[in-house]
Amino acid sequence: MKFDLGTARQLRILLLLLAMALATVVSTGAVSAQGEPVDRVDPDVTGEPMIDSVAMLPADSIPDEAYPAPPTDIAVKDTPNDDGGSIDISWSLSIDDYEGGKVDRYVIMRAPAVNGQPGEFVEIGDVTGRANKVRDGNATEGEAFFYKVVAVNREIRDGVLMWEATTESEAAGPVASSAQWFDWRRLNVFVGVILLCAFILYFINQAQKGKDLFIRKIAGLEAVDEAVGRATEMGKSIFYIPGTQDMNNVQTIAGVTILGRVAELAATYDTWLEVPVSRSLVMVTAKEIVKEAYSKVGRPDSFHEDQVHYLTDDQFGYAAGIDGMVVREKPATIFFMGAFYAESLILAETGNSIGAIQIAGTAMPSQLPFFVAACDYTLIGEELFAASAYLSREPKLLGSLKGQDIGKAVVLVSIIVGVILESLGIWEFSKLFRVID
Amino acid sequence: MSTRTWELLVVAAVLIVSTIVYLGKVGGWIGGVSFSPAVSIIVIILIFLSLVWILVRTLRGSLVDRRIVFLFVGLAVVLPFFMSITQKIKISPEVQQLYDALEALPPGSKVLVSFDYDPPSAPELQPMAESFLRYCLRSDLKVIIIGLWPQGPQQADLALQIALEDPEIQSKSPQYGVDYVNLGFQAGNEFVIQRMGANIESMFPRDYFGAAYRDLPLVRNVKNFSNIDYSFNLSAGYPGTQEWVQVAVDRYGLRLGGGNTAVQAPMMYPYLNAGQLVGLLGGMNGAAEFELLTGVTGKGTKFMLSQSFAHMIVIAFVIIGNAAFFASGRRKPLEQGK
Amino acid sequence: MRREIPLLITGIVGAVFVLQYFIPHWPFSKMNAWFSDWFSIVAAFAIWLGALNLMKISLQKIAGRKEDWGYAIVIIVSFLVIVIPGFGGGQGYREAGTFFSWLYEWVYTPLSSTMFAILAFFVASASYRAFRARNLEATLLLVAAFFVMLGRVPVGDLLTGFMPTGWQLSDLAGWVMNFPQAAGQRAIMIGIALGLVSTSLRIILGIERSHLGGE
Amino acid sequence: MEHLAVWIAALLTLGIISFLYKDNAWYKLSEAIFVGISAGYWFVVLFWDNVHGKFWTGVFPPEQYDAAGNVITEAPDYMLWVGAALGILMLMRLIPKIGWISRWPLAFIVGSTSGLYLINYFSSNMMRQVQGTIMPLFGMWPTDPTTGETVFQALPTYDIVGNVVILVGVFSGLVYFFFSKEHRGVFGATAKVGIFFLMVTFGASFGYTVMSRMSLLIGRVDFLFGTWLGLIK
């Protein structure tokens, strides 16, 4: 097998895109690597006594000692690893800010920069006392701003706001938000994906060079031939159910890929294959695939448009439809390959009750027990994805299975090493796998 | 008489009896039925005896018709509705965790509730929705409702109506738009979650009733998930808790509790174990436990007796099937009854 | 051309979707939103194909007077009964009080809920007929199922009330769910993730292409 | 109307349930209504939500005014035309001669799905799960804040057993999924243990599914005997 033009071009484009991404990452090297998490901003007042009415006393009647010390060390910076429009503000708490102290909350003020000097400050939100950072998510990208943090002490008696004593910090800035070209918090995922893809591509390449790759027997797939053969002997039809999800589910894609192999067999044996589907897009795809399979084995005339037909998008409408068809037509063999939900049970039990040979495959853990119980063979999880490679025996696809196995080996080794290190009190290793920052 | 005649007679009888009962309900001369404890016990004994009869039949070598199994399931679910037996419900740790996290929220915290289910799953999820909303409104938590399933917001509306009937909540007279808001449905599955992570308004420019996002005081300043203190996802499939974990929790660090149909719940345990979920309500049982914690008895608790009976029946049938299987020398297939 | 362009589209779109995860900058930050909108719109167009197909099959049944052709008429009529008020009702088609919402509440909801509910019967019948302790694996499956079924309803603790706290059925069920069950789920999950990554990669690179059909 | 509604709902419910007895005319009628109604329902909903709600109002935003009467109409989003174009290409399937064009939107959907799934599953279902499995088996090593010393703090037995079970389960379960090695010897034995764990998982799933299904049936019974016949107190 050789890469044809289409694939080679695609590979080149992929590489180009990757290179572009890397280049931009390098060129904007100024991006900070440590994206420290910032507390949530709560622009609304939370956790404070309810104010029913306001009876503000004049400012001169507020006792002097009521004014809190200002917050200090206001630090403003562009939020790292984002697409711009956001600035992080942090500060050291006012020395009067402690449980029962003189700070109820902090009000954040913002002013646009005019010739490098702050313009008019307006309130943009507030946080409760003891909080020392917020994120301003409304800072237009590229515009410079100054920020001030105001400590607020309030007197509330019986739900009536009596007075509000405020002390402003110094203004900090100017700072402008900008967008970054690489999210450094996701570097580990990036490396992981690249590594796994590299394993897979390496073995695909090896396989193409003719290296013999061993793949163990998968019982469910060994039985496909037999199941199609039995339908032929009995002169009955084969049903193929590619799950109930749409083409935006990889399980469905795996399902329709396997359909291609089954359709080839059915066409070879000249056995009627029926594919009722529950999504229009799946219908479109499945038709293409079955048609292709029939012409591949030289029987394009045996293909009927209605072999693949749509019932309804509705899960149970679909199940009810299939149920009726199974009971009335009594197929000899039924395949269930793809993503299933609750309907799996109705389908598998009904098929079982008419005595059909059933081969199922899904990566839906909740539906596996029923397939395991009511079907003759079941492909569990990853085996579904391996199926198309296994059935086709195409070296490229088998190579990718080998690559997956290497990925699995890495996972196993990492788990063992990680558990040992962690049990010895060394944490750093497991952090390599963290996804949240 | 032929089978056909019998069948028609039964259908006619069912229709006539239900018409009479219905007329009785409308006219008010037939009320609710309730068994006395003695009758309840007799009914239980009868069910048990007939199960023994099935066991004997099966041991003799033929599986009973599946319709008999169906009949038993029906009885096991219907009869407990009329029995008055109270059960002791125990709180499981995952429900407790969810409740504790909720309880720790200060009043005024914003809670995002996503309704990702449709009426068929309502028996399991609606009780959870009702008691969750009731708890939030009682504790002065601000509730923001969305739906990733088209029917979700309708279910939310139904649950809200029930919650708002609560006298304690009525005394607070919560206001739409200030204390709770229903942003409606948006198509796009996990993409919706992802875009909410950047900007919620861009996904829900108007609420379920057509008001603009920026005109709703509760959400006016809620830009994205960083402004949400807690979230709860009622899920019956795709898109659901798995997508919320993958996108909202893992990418945006949202704090998420899950309310799942029992079918989905087992898949959520690895997420729970890895700390991606703060707690989990699984199925009717989870709903009943949560009701117990929040101190309001709702449908979850009411339905638990039927649930217990149904489980017992299923277990009984597994045992009967296996007893026959072993008695018949293991491998020999049983004759399919008809 | 018929084959190369789709392959190219798949490859580029796939690669962009992988990259956008790592690149917060415009236009990658927007691509996700665009693609999701596009997907919704394409799906809405595609259902025309499905609906037309359903109508065609039903009409063929009626025209050919095939078995049960009467029900095909019912399918077409009920399709029209909901579609006409659905489109005729304008934007507020599903507001409370409309005929569409009435159909939804009193026809669609009971039908779909009951479809779901009759699964309870099948599950019981499957337990009676299919779940056999044939070997050690099947026995484990059954034992785990027992623990969970009994432990998750109050009756389980009633039966094991004599046991000390922490060893009652609900505790055991909790243990099964939290540890062995979670471990198995996690193994399946990781396996599926690997399979998905590999399948997706093959699709993006155009190695797996049967879903696009032939020339 | 209310009486009619509840009767229709009840009769349709009984119609579906009657399938349990056998395939019959009442069931077939209910089924046909269901197939038609549900196909129509999604047809309508997808049109309004996606074609109208997303596309139409996106490219032709309706005029809007804020409380002060200022125009706040959103700018049209021209990118949505691409989606419509893809959708129309999809419909080309109806014209056999140029039906092949419909592969373009298909390729688009398959491509975007693959890319998105690749990343989502890799990060959440692999990286995160590996991280979740890596844990101290026997205890923690916290640092005492007063003395600065690191001390060993053993976990309760319950957690140690649990941790070991998770470790063994995940490890052996993954070994079962190895495709490129024959299940023989120690490797085979580990894979066997893996199968045991998978079976326990399936058993638990089965138990939970029973729970779920029974709940849904309970919901219907509540409708029939409560809402319809009013027999439940």
Side-chain angles (χ1 to χ4, degrees), chain A residues 405-427:
Chain A
D405 275 5
I406 302 296
K408 238 168 287 165
V410 172
V411 166
L412 290 181
V413 171
S414 307
I415 289 178
I416 295 298
V417 171
V419 168
I420 292 173
L421 290 179
E422 200 109 332
S423 299
L424 296 173
I426 301 164
W427 311 108

Side-chain angles (χ1 to χ4, degrees), chain D residues 131-171:
Chain D
Q131 194 200 6
T133 315
I134 297 178
M135 60 208 155
L137 278 189
F138 307 106
M140 308 287 211
W141 298 79
T143 312
D144 193 311
T146 50
T147 59
E149 275 173 36
T150 308
V151 280
F152 181 72
Q153 219 174 47
L155 285 173
T157 325
Y158 180 83
D159 290 336
I160 295 179
V161 174
N163 288 352
V164 172
V165 165
I166 289 215
L167 180 65
V168 172
V170 174
F171 189 91

Side-chain angles (χ1 to χ4, degrees), chain C residues 16-46:
Chain C
V16 165
F17 253 88
V18 174
L19 285 180
Q20 59 82 27
Y21 178 77
F22 302 102
I23 306 178
H25 202 289
W26 191 93
F28 289 89
S29 57
K30 280 278 173 297
M31 277 179 179
N32 211 326
W34 294 337
F35 283 140
S36 75
D37 284 346
W38 296 345
F39 178 75
S40 316
I41 296 169
V42 172
F45 274 95

Side-chain angles (χ1 to χ4, degrees), chain A residues 14 39 64 69 90 92 109 157 178 192 200 206 208 222 228 242 260 289 309 313 338 343 345 368 400 403 431 433 436:
Chain A
L14 249 179
D39 259 5
D64 278 350
S90 61
S92 303
M109 315 270 287
R157 281 187 216 133
S178 65
I200 295 171
Q206 289 285 306
Q208 274 180 313
E222 292 287 304
V228 174
I289 287 180
H309 57 92
D313 261 42
E343 66 286 346
L345 174 67
L368 279 165
S400 70
K431 287 188 184 147
F433 295 93
I436 313 176

Side-chain angles (χ1 to χ4, degrees), chain C:
Chain C
M1 278 306 273
R2 289 185 180 191
R3 191 138 187 174
E4 271 98 49
I5 291 180
L7 279 173
L8 207 63
I9 296 176
T10 315
I12 293 174
V13 173
V16 165
F17 253 88
V18 174
L19 285 180
Q20 59 82 27
Y21 178 77
F22 302 102
I23 306 178
H25 202 289
W26 191 93
F28 289 89
S29 57
K30 280 278 173 297
M31 277 179 179
N32 211 326
W34 294 337
F35 283 140
S36 75
D37 284 346
W38 296 345
F39 178 75
S40 316
I41 296 169
V42 172
F45 274 95
I47 200 168
W48 282 84
L49 297 177
L52 288 174
N53 189 254
L54 180 69
M55 292 300 108
K56 188 181 130 198
I57 299 234
S58 305
L59 286 172
Q60 276 170 354
K61 241 187 193 169
I62 298 166
R65 293 285 189 276
K66 289 190 191 151
E67 199 194 340
D68 285 341
W69 61 275
Y71 298 108
I73 300 179
V74 177
I75 291 181
I76 294 179
V77 169
S78 39
F79 180 82
L80 294 176
V81 160
I82 193 160
V83 163
I84 291 169
F87 285 126
Q91 270 186 71
Y93 70 102
R94 63 175 152 196
E95 272 163 20
T98 57
F99 184 55
F100 185 89
S101 82
W102 188 89
L103 282 173
Y104 174 77
E105 193 177 349
W106 298 106
V107 179
Y108 178 82
T109 301
L111 280 171
S112 57
S113 309
T114 314
M115 272 292 168
F116 234 127
I118 63 169
L119 287 169
F121 297 100
F122 290 110
V123 108
S125 147
S127 336
Y128 177 55
R129 292 161 170 268
F131 284 85
R132 296 275 182 273
R134 277 188 213 101
N135 46 33
L136 187 54
E137 285 94 357
T139 313
L140 272 171
L141 192 154
L142 283 179
V143 170
F146 268 39
F147 274 116
V148 170
M149 270 192 275
L150 280 176
R152 285 302 188 217
V153 285
V155 75
D157 283 349
L158 199 72
L159 292 173
T160 51
F162 60 91
M163 295 288 281
T165 331
W167 292 93
Q168 295 184 353
L169 263 172
S170 62
D171 306 306
L172 294 178
W175 189 82
V176 169
M177 290 310 290
N178 276 294
F179 300 109
Q181 194 273 145
Q185 289 283 3
R186 191 172 273 168
I188 296 176
M189 237 182 205
I190 296 177
I192 288 173
L194 280 163
L196 261 165
V197 168
S198 162
T199 307
S200 301
L201 188 69
R202 296 196 303 245
I203 291 170
I204 292 173
L205 293 180
I207 298 170
E208 183 101 71
R209 55 174 70 169
S210 42
H211 57 274
L212 289 174
E215 294 297 320

Side-chain angles (χ1 to χ4, degrees), chain D:
Chain D
M1 200 64 178
E2 199 191 312
H3 294 292
L4 178 69
V6 82
W7 270 89
I8 287 179
L11 291 179
L12 290 173
T13 302
L14 291 176
I16 299 289
I17 289 177
S18 74
F19 179 71
L20 295 172
Y21 175 69
K22 69 179 188 194
D23 195 12
N24 62 70
W26 191 359
Y27 171 73
K28 280 183 194 160
L29 181 69
S30 310
E31 177 204 322
I33 292 175
F34 186 35
V35 170
I37 288 277
S38 60
Y41 175 79
W42 287 106
F43 190 62
V44 171
V45 166
L46 282 182
F47 172 80
W48 284 111
D49 284 339
N50 295 358
V51 179
H52 181 268
K54 255 214 161 88
F55 171 70
W56 196 254
T57 55
V59 292
F60 302 110
E63 276 196 21
Q64 284 176 34
Y65 304 94
D66 66 2
N70 306 310
V71 181
I72 50 162
T73 309
E74 280 168 39
D77 185 354
Y78 295 110
M79 293 309 279
L80 291 170
W81 281 107
V82 180
L86 288 170
I88 289 166
L89 291 182
M90 196 82 212
L91 293 183
M92 292 298 153
R93 172 146 300 267
L94 294 171
I95 310 164
K97 264 200 170 161
I98 47 171
W100 54 270
I101 291 187
S102 66
R103 285 184 200 160
W104 294 6
L106 209 62
F108 164 82
I109 285 169
V110 171
S112 58
T113 305
S114 310
L116 187 80
Y117 272 45
L118 195 154
I119 277 300
N120 275 358
Y121 276 79
F122 186 82
S123 56
S124 292
N125 286 19
M126 204 168 112
M127 300 273 280
R128 273 300 305 228
Q129 295 309 320
V130 171
Q131 194 200 6
T133 315
I134 297 178
M135 60 208 155
L137 278 189
F138 307 106
M140 308 287 211
W141 298 79
T143 312
D144 193 311
T146 50
T147 59
E149 275 173 36
T150 308
V151 280
F152 181 72
Q153 219 174 47
L155 285 173
T157 325
Y158 180 83
D159 290 336
I160 295 179
V161 174
N163 288 352
V164 172
V165 165
I166 289 215
L167 180 65
V168 172
V170 174
F171 189 91
S172 55
L174 277 175
V175 164
Y176 167 77
F177 285 116
F178 265 83
F179 297 114
S180 55
K181 202 161 159 43
E182 193 78 70
H183 287 173
R184 259 194 246 126
V186 177
F187 194 81
T190 317
K192 193 85 182 160
V193 175
I195 276 282
F196 292 162
F197 271 93
L198 294 185
M199 287 300 154
V200 170
T201 306
F202 294 153
S205 276
F206 170 71
Y208 261 66
T209 308
V210 169
M211 188 158 125
S212 204
R213 301 299 169 240
M214 292 303 166
S215 308
L216 303 181
L217 178 60
I218 291 167
R220 287 329 284 165
V221 168
D222 188 42
F223 167 78
L224 284 179
F225 288 85
T227 314
W228 182 39
L229 297 178
L231 288 173
I232 295 172
K233 266 189 180 163

